[in-house]
């Protein structure tokens, strides 16, 4: 099965090569696609120079959603069977990819979400605001897709061919993760959540600072409800 | 009610400015400074202002209908509604454009990567050709 790692990167020049090396060290057969979202540092050059990744340099900053969607478009065009989203800041652990990909290989699911807190066992710490936000998403999303999804904000996800095809033309823009859960759930994609270990962010900051948290919550909740009210895109 | 807007002077000014406004919009369309689809709301609001200036009683009927005692206030309301409609329309246009720009940026990124890849492959093929030729030369000579 052809596998692609989609890595959106914005100003990650210091860590991007070690992220690439970690994935290649785990599985040489995985193709790595770096989407350099108009970084102001040398992320694109550094990633291209190591010669182990495909690099797409976007001419202007699209935000995480637009960058990841570029990856889905690439995966759809080049016929990948599995694509997974992987953060460019080094918070994901390459050896956890196998957990993420296994349900797809066994055809148990079409979308796999790598969750930081699926079980009680976890090393995840976060701020109070983020924890509250995550809880709200958990309740709202679980009601709307009628499936218990614990970690709606995780960016560690894997998709099969049908999901890749779908997302390449339908993917939300800013803060896309919680909305994507609804979009996929409402369109009849089978989702599972697996527990995956994650690191504390070794470098860079979360895309969500406390200051933006309220705006983020309102925007995403509005997007989620609108998404739930829209008719299905996939015809069965 | 002895006239607020019944005064001839105000009516004439209203008619002249409404016409001027419509003409300006039409000229801008003619010069391709505004696209037709973005000018319809402007033209429509201009038409409403013109109708109100010519047929002042309409404003009085309208304000009576919705319970506004002071007809010029109804005029402000109508203008405000027109401006809000146009602004909402602009939000729609901006959203559509940002979607289109997103798609363009993505396509451009993908294409650039493909061009670079093809160029690199071509160079590599060219270099291989050279080394093959180099290898052959002593045998031929």
């Amino acid at each position: 099965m052809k596998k692609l790692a989609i890595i959106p990167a914005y100003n990650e020049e210091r860590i991007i090569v070690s992220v690439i090396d970690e994935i290649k060290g785990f599985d040489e057969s995985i193709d790595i696609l770096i989407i350099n979202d108009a970084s102001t540092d040398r992320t694109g050059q550094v990633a291209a120079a190591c010669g182990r990744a495909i690099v797409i340099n976007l001419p202007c900053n699209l935000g995480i959603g637009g960058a990841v969607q570029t990856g889905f478009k690439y995966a759809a065009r080049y016929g990948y069977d599995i694509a997974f989203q992987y953060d460019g800041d080094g918070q994901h652990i390459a050896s956890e990819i196998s957990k993420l990909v296994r349900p797809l290989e066994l055809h148990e699911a079409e979308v796999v979400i790598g969750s930081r807190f699926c079980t009680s066992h976890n090393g995840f710490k976060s701020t109070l605001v983020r924890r509250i936000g995550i809880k709200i998403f958990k309740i709202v999303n679980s009601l709307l897709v009628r499936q218990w999804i614990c970690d709606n904000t995780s960016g560690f996800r894997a998709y099969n061919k049908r999901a890749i095809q779908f997302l390449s033309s339908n993917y939300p823009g800013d803060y896309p993760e919680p909305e994507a859960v609804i979009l996929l759930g409402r369109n009849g994609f089978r989702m599972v959540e697996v527990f995956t270990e994650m690191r504390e962010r070794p470098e860079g900051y979360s895309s969500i600072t406390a200051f933006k948290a309220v705006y983020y919550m309102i925007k995403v909740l509005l997007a989620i409800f609108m998404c739930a009210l829209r008719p299905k895109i996939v015809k069965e | 009610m002895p006239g607020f807007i019944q005064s001839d002077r105000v009516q004439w000014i209203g008619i002249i400015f409404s016409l001027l406004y419509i003409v300006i919009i039409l000229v801008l369309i003619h010069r391709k400074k505004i696209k037709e689809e973005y000018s319809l709301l402007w033209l429509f609001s201009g038409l409403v202002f013109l109708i109100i200036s010519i047929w002042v009683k309409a404003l009085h009927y309208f304000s009576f209908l919705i319970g506004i005692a002071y007809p010029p206030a109804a005029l402000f309301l109508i203008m405000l509604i027109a401006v809000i409609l146009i602004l909402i329309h602009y939000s729609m246009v901006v959203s559509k454009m940002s979607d289109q720009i997103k798609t363009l940026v993505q396509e451009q990124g993908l294409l650039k990567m493909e061009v670079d890849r093809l160029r690199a492959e071509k160079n590599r093929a060219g270099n291989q050709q050279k080394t093959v030729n180099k290898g052959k030369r002593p045998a031929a000579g």
Side-chain angles (χ1 to χ4, degrees):
Chain A
M1 280 192 167
K2 267 175 89 181
K3 288 181 210 143
L4 181 72
I6 297 171
I7 307 180
Y10 179 71
N11 290 351
E12 306 282 7
E13 64 176 4
R14 278 182 290 176
I15 198 149
I16 196 73
V17 174
S18 68
V19 172
I20 295 168
D21 286 343
E22 192 185 336
I23 297 174
K24 282 291 187 186
F26 165 72
D27 184 348
E28 189 63 37
S29 71
I30 294 173
D31 287 343
I32 297 175
L33 176 67
I34 307 285
I35 294 114
N36 171 25
D37 195 6
S39 299
T40 51
D41 68 359
R42 302 181 66 252
T43 302
Q45 290 103 301
V46 168
C50 86
R52 291 150 74 80
I54 308 148
V55 180
I56 291 182
N57 293 299
L58 297 179
C60 55
N61 186 277
L62 289 183
I64 182 101
V68 170
Q69 192 182 25
T70 312
F72 294 134
K73 288 187 175 176
Y74 181 87
R77 272 171 215 185
Y78 288 86
Y80 284 91
D81 303 294
I82 290 173
F84 57 89
Q85 227 176 299
Y86 194 94
D87 277 6
D89 62 4
Q91 77 161 324
H92 296 152
I93 300 168
S95 56
E96 299 290 287
I97 292 168
S98 54
K99 287 189 203 165
L100 205 63
V101 167
R102 197 174 305 126
L104 297 178
E105 288 173 331
L106 298 173
H107 299 287
E108 284 170 355
E110 296 170 290
V111 177
V112 186
I113 301 172
S115 175
R116 289 161 288 188
F117 26 75
C118 225
T119 60
S120 57
H121 159 74
N122 70 73
F124 182 74
K125 293 186 203 79
S126 186
T127 61
L128 180 69
V129 184
R130 286 197 75 194
R131 278 205 303 270
I132 292 170
I134 283 164
K135 190 149 272 178
I136 293 174
F137 288 137
K138 177 174 159 184
I139 293 163
V140 170
N141 272 10
S142 301
L143 285 172
L144 289 173
V145 297
R146 290 175 195 164
Q147 183 183 345
W148 203 237
I149 304 287
C150 302
D151 191 358
N152 286 281
T153 57
S154 164
F156 193 34
R157 295 176 177 188
Y159 306 94
N160 75 348
K161 218 166 190 166
R162 194 169 83 100
I164 291 168
Q165 208 77 44
F166 175 75
L167 293 173
S168 69
S169 46
N170 308 281
Y171 200 70
D174 325 330
Y175 316 121
E177 283 85 10
E179 203 184 331
V181 171
I182 300 290
L183 192 62
L184 288 160
R186 300 284 296 179
N187 284 286
F189 286 88
R190 283 172 296 140
M191 294 185 280
V192 293
E193 207 173 7
V194 295
F195 171 73
T196 52
E197 213 74 60
M198 277 178 216
R199 291 188 195 105
E200 295 287 309
R201 287 167 193 270
E203 194 150 330
Y205 297 92
S206 163
S207 52
I208 306 148
T209 58
F211 204 67
K212 287 184 191 158
V214 174
Y215 165 76
Y216 166 73
M217 282 299 300
I218 294 169
K219 192 254 158 193
V220 174
L221 280 175
L222 178 65
I224 283 171
F225 283 117
M226 285 301 156
C227 186
L229 287 172
R230 283 184 202 122
K232 275 187 180 185
I233 300 165
V234 173
K235 304 274 186 295
E236 274 161 56
Chain B
M1 279 218 304
F4 285 110
I5 327 181
Q6 280 97 325
S7 141
D8 272 359
R9 199 190 296 162
V10 161
Q11 187 175 6
W12 278 112
I13 289 172
I15 293 171
I16 290 166
F17 275 89
S18 303
L19 280 174
L20 198 66
Y21 168 82
I22 291 172
V23 168
I24 288 171
I25 300 289
L26 287 175
V27 167
L28 286 173
I29 301 168
H30 182 72
R31 293 188 184 162
K32 296 189 174 175
K33 300 281 179 196
I34 311 179
K35 283 198 163 193
E36 288 81 352
E37 60 260 47
Y38 301 138
S39 65
L40 288 178
L41 275 170
W42 291 119
L43 280 179
F44 179 72
S45 63
L47 218 59
V48 171
F49 297 147
L50 186 65
I51 289 168
I52 290 170
S53 335
I54 294 169
W55 183 29
V56 180
K57 278 254 161 59
L59 185 65
H60 290 251
Y61 290 139
F62 175 75
S63 52
F64 174 74
L65 209 68
I66 59 171
I68 293 174
Y70 181 58
L75 187 63
F76 287 125
L77 179 69
I78 291 169
M79 288 166 83
L80 209 61
I81 289 171
V83 170
I84 287 172
L85 281 179
I86 289 165
L87 287 179
I88 292 172
H89 181 232
Y90 278 179
S91 286
M92 289 165 62
V93 171
V94 168
S95 303
K96 189 177 141 203
M97 282 183 166
S98 75
D99 250 9
Q100 291 171 329
I101 290 170
K102 185 187 83 172
T103 310
L104 281 175
V105 168
Q106 291 174 334
E107 285 301 326
Q108 198 268 358
L110 284 161
L111 281 174
K112 176 132 195 314
M113 183 271 300
E114 282 169 328
V115 168
D116 288 347
R117 183 191 276 172
L118 285 173
R119 195 175 286 150
E121 270 168 25
K122 201 181 153 211
N123 281 346
R124 210 174 305 134
N127 288 341
Q128 269 170 7
Q129 199 62 43
K130 271 180 210 159
T131 45
V132 167
N133 287 345
K134 267 182 199 162
K136 271 180 187 168
R137 209 167 289 144

